Amino acid sequence: MMMHYVNHGFAYICMQVLAALAETMKKGTSFGAPCLLENVLAEMIISAVPSIEMVRFVNSGTEACMGVLSLARAFTGREKIIKFEGCYHGHGDPFLVKAGSGVATLGLPDSPGVPKATTFETLTAPYNDIAAVESLFNSNKGELAAIILEPVVGNSGFIPPKSDFLEAIRRLTKENGALLIFDEVMTGFRLSYGGAQEYFGITPDLTTLGKIIGGGLPVGAYGGRREIMEMMAPAGPMYQAGTLSGNPLAMTAGIHTLKRLKEPGTYEYLDKITGELVQGVLDARKKAGHAICGGHIRGMFGFFFTEGPVHNFDDAKTSDTAKFASFYRGMLEEGVYLAPSQFEAGFTSLAHSSEDIQKTIAAAEKVLSKI
Ligand SMILES: *Cc1c(COP(=O)(O)O)cnc(C)c1O
């Protein structure tokens, strides 16, 4: 059996999820109207994620980021935003500037088809660089609506924030009347049940979610403080809607996946197996004489073929991607499916056993000695 580490939507398909989906399906697959299951998942998310007092469901992480951006602009009455180089917030036009994920992997400069006007208000800074953010605030006084970021980057490889980075961003946004948006589409319910914000103890104003909360079905969500969320129709004037949003099947898969994640020991287990995996691969690479760095937080991990440390996208780009490609293909031949890009993080899930981890390390030792 192939072992994979690219389970964005949480590949651990527990039987409860499948059984619950079959039951829900009998009642209909989509109603184009709100359903009770939305309230159930909404309450689970609100009680889990510190910043979220109200939540809106959409169909993908992309949609969540587009919605949250309009909301931040509507609430502050400002248009400029800061995003970080190598961070990915879906394919909405305003975010396709120095984006991560496939944009980084394919080396696309800035995506064609995006009118200049839609990215004009998108300012960028290197990740982990507080001085750059301060200088953007100084040169755009009273004009910045929000900063959006991945609290741990997964879309230009695995890049954790420096110890004071998130705190400084929180302080700067507050001082300047801008909103702080954590894009937790990847980190939500992955770093801890309350996401990266719970893990680091930093509470943003708004949060986007996706991936895990759909348990493998298409879902996105955004939420935050009540006074901000009430800007949206029907409570307020900002319009956003979706025929398939809050789809009963996606809600069901999300509810049962979160139930499984809430069981005691989940995140300790993920931390343990992921730590073993990363250490094992790092040791193997050193033995084989490769330049190497890597790390993990709970079930999220990554390696770069460079000495490191890697604090931002420019650092990540010093990685030997030809070597990564040989490693990736070698691992695939050994039955291990890693994320197929140097600029993507990897994930463990509850389906991975200690035995899987040991087999993966053995495969890495073999492959690394040959490349
Ligand atoms: C995957 C991802 C998105 C986009 O979500 P989709 O469901 O693919 O549209 C946005 N932000 C982050 C951080 C992501 O990892």
Side-chain angles (χ1 to χ4, degrees):
M1 197 184 84
M2 180 82 79
M3 281 170 281
H4 34 126
Y5 294 93
V6 289
N7 52 327
H8 271 305
F10 211 75
Y12 185 84
I13 314 256
C14 49
M15 295 318 285
Q16 291 100 305
V17 173
L18 291 181
L21 279 172
E23 274 311 301
T24 302
M25 215 164 354
K26 287 184 197 155
K27 298 178 194 157
T29 54
S30 187
F31 303 108
C35 68
L36 187 63
L37 293 164
E38 284 174 67
N39 291 359
V40 177
L41 186 58
E43 273 169 18
M44 292 174 87
I45 290 173
I46 288 166
S47 60
V49 183
S51 68
I52 299 186
E53 294 174 1
M54 281 180 99
V55 65
R56 172 70 58 103
F57 290 112
V58 288
N59 302 292
S60 67
T62 293
E63 261 189 74
C65 292
M66 287 164 66
V68 89
L69 175 62
S70 300
L71 178 58
R73 286 172 163 167
F75 183 75
T76 57
R78 302 172 176 184
E79 294 194 355
K80 290 185 181 171
I81 56 157
I82 298 176
K83 80 172 277 290
F84 293 95
E85 292 162 16
C87 281
Y88 181 67
H89 306 295
H91 65 79
D93 283 357
F95 298 118
L96 286 178
V97 185
K98 299 187 179 168
S101 193
V103 186
T105 302
L106 303 174
L108 304 175
D110 287 316
S111 187
V114 177
K116 277 199 192 70
T118 57
T119 56
F120 189 66
E121 313 284 14
T122 308
L123 313 178
T124 60
Y127 198 78
N128 274 320
D129 187 340
I130 285 299
V133 175
E134 270 173 343
S135 125
L136 286 175
F137 269 117
N138 287 335
S139 49
N140 296 277
K141 278 223 178 306
E143 293 183 288
L144 281 157
I147 297 186
I148 185 166
L149 77 162
E150 296 178 57
V152 173
V153 183
N155 284 298
S156 35
F158 170 80
I159 307 178
K162 285 186 187 168
S163 63
D164 57 347
F165 180 63
L166 297 176
E167 224 176 309
I169 296 278
R170 177 66 283 189
R171 179 176 49 75
L172 283 170
T173 43
K174 262 201 185 126
E175 283 171 8
N176 289 280
L179 298 177
L180 177 59
I181 306 169
F182 275 10
D183 180 353
E184 296 227 42
V185 171
M186 195 182 280
T187 54
F189 294 90
R190 196 184 303 279
L191 297 199
S192 79
Y193 195 71
Q197 53 198 272
E198 179 184 64
Y199 183 85
F200 291 109
I202 305 281
T203 307
D205 300 293
L206 292 164
T207 299
T208 56
L209 295 167
K211 297 186 175 128
I212 287 180
I213 64 156
L217 272 77
V219 175
Y222 58 108
R225 287 211 314 275
R226 177 174 289 275
E227 58 165 333
I228 308 175
M229 294 300 287
E230 284 183 343
M231 277 301 291
M232 273 190 293
M238 186 207 119
Y239 193 70
Q240 182 269 306
T243 303
L244 297 171
S245 298
N247 172 273
L249 295 178
M251 296 296 107
T252 298
I255 290 164
H256 289 273
T257 300
L258 295 200
K259 272 191 187 154
R260 176 66 187 88
L261 287 172
K262 204 175 179 195
E263 287 173 19
T266 295
Y267 295 94
E268 290 78 1
Y269 178 73
L270 292 176
D271 199 47
K272 178 177 159 291
I273 59 167
T274 319
E276 283 168 13
L277 174 67
V278 169
Q279 199 51 54
V281 175
L282 286 180
D283 290 347
R285 281 191 187 182
K286 276 187 198 131
K287 257 187 258 163
H290 300 293
I292 161 69
C293 68
H296 84 288
I297 298 179
R298 298 277 168 81
M300 191 170 163
F301 68 91
F303 305 100
F304 291 104
F305 280 92
T306 179
E307 284 300 338
V310 174
H311 293 309
N312 58 41
F313 189 38
D314 277 344
D315 295 343
K317 282 190 285 193
T318 65
S319 188
D320 184 340
T321 50
K323 217 172 228 187
F324 169 84
S326 307
F327 179 62
Y328 168 77
R329 290 194 192 101
M331 291 298 277
L332 204 52
E333 273 166 31
E334 296 297 318
V336 180
Y337 180 25
L338 297 169
S341 164
Q342 175 65 95
F343 303 115
E344 295 283 4
F347 313 111
T348 49
S349 88
L350 296 175
H352 291 120
S353 64
S354 285
E355 199 194 345
D356 292 331
I357 300 299
Q358 291 316 315
K359 277 190 195 157
T360 304
I361 294 170
E365 279 173 358
K366 186 169 160 194
V367 173
L368 287 166
S369 67
K370 286 194 296 200
I371 59 172

